[in-house]
Amino acid sequence: MKFSREYEASIIPEWKAAFVDYKCLKKLVKKIKVARRDEDASSDADALVAGASGFSVLHPVRGLAARFASKMQASPEDEESSDSSGELVRPDEREFLERADEELEKVNRFYATKEAELLARGDALIHQLRILADVKRILADHAASRRGRARGLLSRTHFMPATAPRPPAISGSGRFLLSASGLASPQSMSDGSVELHQAQMTEGATMADEVMAALEGNGVSFVGKKGGSRGRGAGPLQMPASVRIDIPATNPGRTALKVWEELVNVLRKDVADPFVHRKKIQHAEKNIRDAFMALHRGLELLKKFSFLNVKAFTKILKKFLKVSEQQRATDLFSEKVKGSSFSTSDKVLQLADEVESLFMKHFAGNDRMVAMKYLKPQQPKSTHMITFLVGLFTGTFVSLFIIYAISAHVSGIFSSAGNTAYMGVVYHIFSMFALVSLHCFLYGCNLFMWKNTRINKNFIFDFAPNTALTHRDAFLMSASIMCTVLAALVINLFLRNVGASYAKAVPGALIVLSMGVLVCPFNVFYRSTRYYFMRVLRNIVFSPFYKVLMADFFMADQLTSQIPLLRHMEFTACYFMAGSFTANPYETCTNSQEYKHLAYVISFLPYYWRAMQCLRRYLEEHDTNQLANAAKYVSAMVAAVVRFKYSATPTSFWASMVIISSSGATLYQLYWDFVKDWGFFARKSKNRWLRDELILKNKSVYYVSMVLNLVLRLGWTVSVMEISVSINQTRLLYFSLASLEIIRRGHWNFYRLENEHLNNVGKFRAVKSVPLPFREFETD
């Protein structure tokens, strides 16, 4: 592989603009080569002309004299264009050296900035780790001493009356209250044991002293201390209002706890952060661990940045020397590169070693292998077994589909006189799993394209490299799902034809099997991916109470394209859970008003969840674009309401309202797709109607995708067309439209992530910065 391709494939996408512009320097070298080749060709032509006119012994003498005269008569500009050794530097060679010097300065400047940021982050993290270690040690020591003292007091009061107070053990939540009475809550003390009360006061004051001393020893300043003495007899001490354990409110539980603690802080102005409990310390420890991992990743990226740029300069200087023969100029610039800070600085290496050592000691139990699994996770090697299984399941699916189609045709169930109830059940169940399988297949195609175009999907979605799916894994999921579904349908049809009474249980068993695989606790069939999927769904359903991450809003957008799937799930739940197939007629789950109203709610929910996510991001980021995005989903909800009303009362008025509302929502969505999500129609773009930065070299692909997205966005027009077809054809039509919407979403996925990769439009991509828990702030 040529170095230019290897270099482009190895560039860190987030820092692409800071790397050496190797292509530009290579073009300048090629320009020098072409110019010299043209000069050599002209010299050869002159020699041929001279040879044709005859050779003279004075020709060499005349040549030397002309060269000497040109050097003696050189202009001041020519003198400036020569290097320190007297070698003459041509204008095109000087242009190369000047551009290379600009690139070197750019690389040095970026490296110095990132190095300073990472070093400052490292100092802050080490500082936080010391605080955490001291606080954990103090809390553990005092918890142990409290338990020992409680046991002693219980043994001394064994024969006392039953009204004796209980020992001040730690509460069930492990919570300590740092207050004027020490670490025991007021409710834990009752009238009676004066000795126990004094022990609490003494132990609480001692612990408050030790926590404050530990924090002060780590450079945290305190204000508002009482008195001048901190001895046990100087009275109770209070935690000052300058230190907080700040845990981000990323889920409903943390949000509620944060609101409660803020309320207590307002009511108790003499105490800054009275709640210090095990859960909070655990969250602080997790935040610091994640921050160490992010810091180590940043250091590794900066080391890679240094290595690639040094190699790029070395390669391009070799090419320059080969075509220009400017040995002295090349050596001088090479020495300049070797003496640059990005090439000589070892601060990043030292900090990386220190980070690994600290992480191994505090978070991996001094086990280096465990530490490296966190700090340097490796993508599992792909095996041929997955490819073999994909082919096996795909072939089995094709065979089963042929068998099922022939058996169904022979049974006559697809005819107009066929079993309507059976067709309804098969249609909903098959469509539900087929749409899931199609989505998995398109996601596999997206993964394949993202990999080939080097879009950093794992970092953008914050996927763990050792558990992230590959395109082969997604294809295996798709093929296995369809193979299982077709097997169930063939078995169900066979049992129905032989008159088995339990044939209807096969579709239900398929549903139970799929749910069992999804929640299976064993490490089989991509457990980490299944659990991550369920966590993302939880975050979506409970929007806006969870912090919106890239994967959350991306999955919520997928759900807006899977509304037919949700309706199929509604029918399946009604059919199997309500017992309609035994106690009620089939039409109970298709014609009842409750069913239709629930179908409307299901159509409404994905847009509602997505709008709530936009509102959550607006409250956190104060970005008005998020309000505009939320309005887009509100317009889609309005269009869904109007279409639902039209289906109930199909009049000309509501038909016109459907056209108006749906057209407005479609135009809004198209604008957002093209301009905001894909970044097209950029002003003054060098690529007409597109953006400046494109990954695919063939620009026509982008224009075709824009037209395809426009056409597929107009699928709602079928709902206002009066098409006279049979019930089976209607089902096939709506299944095809649902499939086309999923295909449109697959196209959207690739360009949305491409735009995120290039321009960080969602503000999710950067070297991950984890908020640090121990925060010091100013007080009045």
Side-chain angles (χ1 to χ4, degrees), residues 338-383:
K338 293 179 181 178
S340 300
S341 60
F342 77 92
S343 178
T344 59
S345 178
D346 60 346
K347 295 179 181 178
V348 171
L349 296 175
Q350 293 176 0
L351 182 57
D353 292 339
E354 188 174 3
V355 167
E356 291 179 6
S357 177
L358 290 172
F359 191 91
M360 182 175 64
K361 177 181 178 182
H362 293 276
F363 303 106
N366 288 320
D367 191 332
R368 183 170 181 81
M369 292 185 62
V370 174
M372 290 302 103
K373 287 182 180 179
Y374 283 100
L375 296 177
K376 296 181 180 179
Q378 300 294 327
Q379 180 76 26
K381 296 181 179 180
S382 59
T383 63

Side-chain angles (χ1 to χ4, degrees), residues 234-404:
L237 293 174
Q238 304 170 8
M239 281 296 288
S242 60
V243 177
R244 295 286 300 276
I245 302 179
D246 194 6
I247 306 298
T250 55
N251 56 50
R254 292 189 190 180
T255 303
L257 181 61
K258 194 175 184 67
V259 170
W260 168 249
E261 293 183 0
E262 290 293 339
L263 178 62
V264 173
N265 293 337
V266 171
L267 297 177
R268 299 175 56 85
K269 296 182 179 180
D270 58 331
V271 180
D273 193 8
F275 295 104
V276 181
H277 49 88
R278 289 195 191 99
K279 200 69 176 177
K280 204 167 189 178
I281 295 298
Q282 289 174 1
H283 286 314
E285 184 174 8
K286 182 179 183 300
N287 281 12
I288 293 177
R289 185 197 67 184
D290 293 344
F292 266 102
M293 294 167 60
L295 175 62
H296 189 271
R297 171 180 166 79
L299 294 171
E300 291 295 318
L301 291 179
L302 198 56
K303 288 193 291 184
K304 183 179 180 181
F305 175 83
S306 172
F307 170 76
L308 287 176
N309 281 288
V310 169
K311 190 173 182 180
F313 275 118
T314 303
K315 291 287 185 180
I316 202 64
L317 287 176
K318 285 183 179 179
K319 291 181 180 292
F320 173 72
L321 177 61
K322 184 177 180 180
V323 300
S324 68
E325 299 179 356
Q326 293 287 347
Q327 182 68 49
R328 180 61 180 169
T330 304
D331 291 342
L332 288 175
F333 196 86
S334 180
E335 291 297 327
K336 190 174 181 180
V337 171
K338 293 179 181 178
S340 300
S341 60
F342 77 92
S343 178
T344 59
S345 178
D346 60 346
K347 295 179 181 178
V348 171
L349 296 175
Q350 293 176 0
L351 182 57
D353 292 339
E354 188 174 3
V355 167
E356 291 179 6
S357 177
L358 290 172
F359 191 91
M360 182 175 64
K361 177 181 178 182
H362 293 276
F363 303 106
N366 288 320
D367 191 332
R368 183 170 181 81
M369 292 185 62
V370 174
M372 290 302 103
K373 287 182 180 179
Y374 283 100
L375 296 177
K376 296 181 180 179
Q378 300 294 327
Q379 180 76 26
K381 296 181 179 180
S382 59
T383 63
H384 296 293
M385 179 57 67
I386 295 180
T387 306
F388 168 76
L389 291 177
V390 171
L392 176 64
F393 282 119
T394 302
T396 306
F397 159 70
V398 173
S399 302
L400 290 173
F401 184 81
I402 295 174
I403 294 173
Y404 178 76

Side-chain angles (χ1 to χ4, degrees), residues 173-217:
S173 61
R175 176 170 296 180
F176 297 93
L177 182 62
L178 295 176
S179 63
S181 60
L183 290 169
S185 64
Q187 290 80 6
S188 64
M189 293 185 295
S190 60
D191 298 332
S193 177
V194 178
E195 182 180 358
L196 181 59
H197 178 72
Q198 291 178 349
Q200 291 177 9
M201 292 284 291
T202 303
E203 192 269 341
T206 302
M207 182 172 178
D209 279 350
E210 292 187 15
V211 171
M212 291 171 63
L215 296 174
E216 285 180 335

Side-chain angles (χ1 to χ4, degrees), residues 494-695:
F494 174 77
L495 294 177
R496 177 181 177 276
N497 290 337
V498 298
S501 59
Y502 50 86
K504 296 179 180 180
V506 176
L510 178 63
I511 301 294
V512 173
L513 175 64
S514 61
M515 294 302 298
V517 171
L518 180 63
V519 300
C520 177
F522 302 108
N523 192 14
V524 293
F525 206 72
Y526 307 104
R527 182 182 63 180
S528 59
T529 301
R530 291 187 282 108
Y531 279 31
Y532 187 86
F533 172 73
M534 288 189 289
R535 286 195 299 269
V536 170
L537 286 182
R538 177 204 62 190
N539 297 349
I540 294 172
V541 171
F542 291 100
S543 299
F545 300 108
Y546 282 91
K547 182 178 178 62
V548 183
L549 303 177
M550 180 73 183
D552 298 336
F553 98 79
F554 202 82
M555 177 57 69
D557 276 323
Q558 311 305 307
L559 291 180
T560 60
S561 296
Q562 283 284 17
I563 292 176
L565 169 67
L566 299 179
R567 290 180 175 176
H568 292 317
M569 293 177 64
E570 174 203 9
F571 171 83
T572 305
C574 174
Y575 189 79
F576 289 106
M577 297 178 63
S580 61
F581 63 97
T582 56
N584 301 307
Y586 168 79
E587 290 74 13
T588 302
C589 288
T590 55
N591 298 332
S592 65
Q593 290 298 319
E594 292 79 6
Y595 178 87
K596 293 180 179 180
H597 292 162
L598 185 58
Y600 158 70
V601 172
I602 288 176
S603 303
F604 182 86
L605 277 178
Y607 299 113
Y608 166 77
W609 291 330
R610 191 67 188 90
M612 291 297 102
Q613 288 181 336
C614 294
L615 292 178
R616 169 69 185 249
R617 291 194 61 192
Y618 170 75
L619 294 176
E620 292 179 344
E621 303 171 11
H622 304 288
D623 185 3
T624 54
N625 284 328
Q626 297 300 328
L627 287 180
N629 199 11
K632 180 188 72 172
Y633 295 104
V634 171
S635 68
M637 287 188 281
V638 172
V641 171
V642 175
R643 284 199 293 268
F644 174 76
K645 183 64 177 178
Y646 172 73
S647 63
T649 55
T651 62
S652 59
F653 170 77
W654 284 111
S656 60
M657 292 300 297
V658 166
I659 295 175
I660 294 174
S661 60
S662 297
S663 298
T666 300
L667 291 175
Y668 202 162
Q669 292 164 353
L670 286 172
Y671 166 79
W672 206 269
D673 285 346
F674 295 150
V675 178
K676 297 296 184 180
D677 290 337
W678 292 0
F680 296 162
F681 295 100
R683 294 181 179 180
K684 300 179 181 179
S685 174
K686 62 183 181 182
N687 301 309
R688 189 177 182 184
W689 297 349
L690 303 177
R691 50 178 133 81
D692 289 335
E693 295 290 333
L694 299 173
I695 289 182

